[in-house]
Amino acid sequence: SENFMDKNSENELMVKFSVFEQQIRQIQQQLEVIERNVMEMNSLSIGLEELHGAEGKEILSQVGKNIFVKTKLISEELIVDIGDGNFVKKNIEDTKKLIGKQIKKLERVRDELNSALEDINNEMTKIIVQAQDNQN
């Protein structure tokens, strides 16, 4: 019966670890999405900086993925989607502040996800130590 217990607890460990692996993979995917979003937000902020003083100049405007059109900038006023289909007029500085807030939110979520990863790693370590103690 000693052998049976070892096999049983070994299977239990395998199940627990496969659950942990799934959780880790999901968190890593979420972290990748967040990193991509932060990079996009940062480059958007840099792009907005280039609009300063560009009124009356020709610029390239994106009309879709990888499709641009030459346009003449008649105003530095931006129309910003603030969610739920609501659009507001904002100047470049206010829009950059809004982007900065969104980046901070993303970074908070990233920190929470990293903390969750740490918790999972600690839990796995605890289980391994317990299993080793039980064998001795």
Side-chain angles (χ1 to χ4, degrees), residues 24-80:
I24 288 169
R25 264 199 304 275
Q26 285 172 341
I27 291 172
Q28 285 171 336
Q29 285 170 346
Q30 290 170 317
L31 283 168
E32 284 170 24
V33 170
I34 286 174
E35 279 311 313
R36 249 194 326 272
N37 283 328
V38 168
M39 281 169 43
E40 283 171 14
M41 294 279 180
N42 279 323
S43 70
L44 178 59
S45 197
I46 292 166
L48 287 178
E49 196 54 49
E50 292 171 15
L51 291 180
H52 264 304
E55 195 171 314
K57 293 183 181 161
E58 269 192 5
I59 61 167
L60 284 179
S61 297
Q62 191 168 9
V63 280
K65 190 171 171 69
N66 302 322
I67 301 170
F68 298 86
V69 64
K70 271 188 184 175
T71 56
K72 186 169 274 190
L73 195 63
I74 58 168
S75 165
E76 287 186 16
E77 192 175 64
L78 305 167
I79 311 295
V80 181

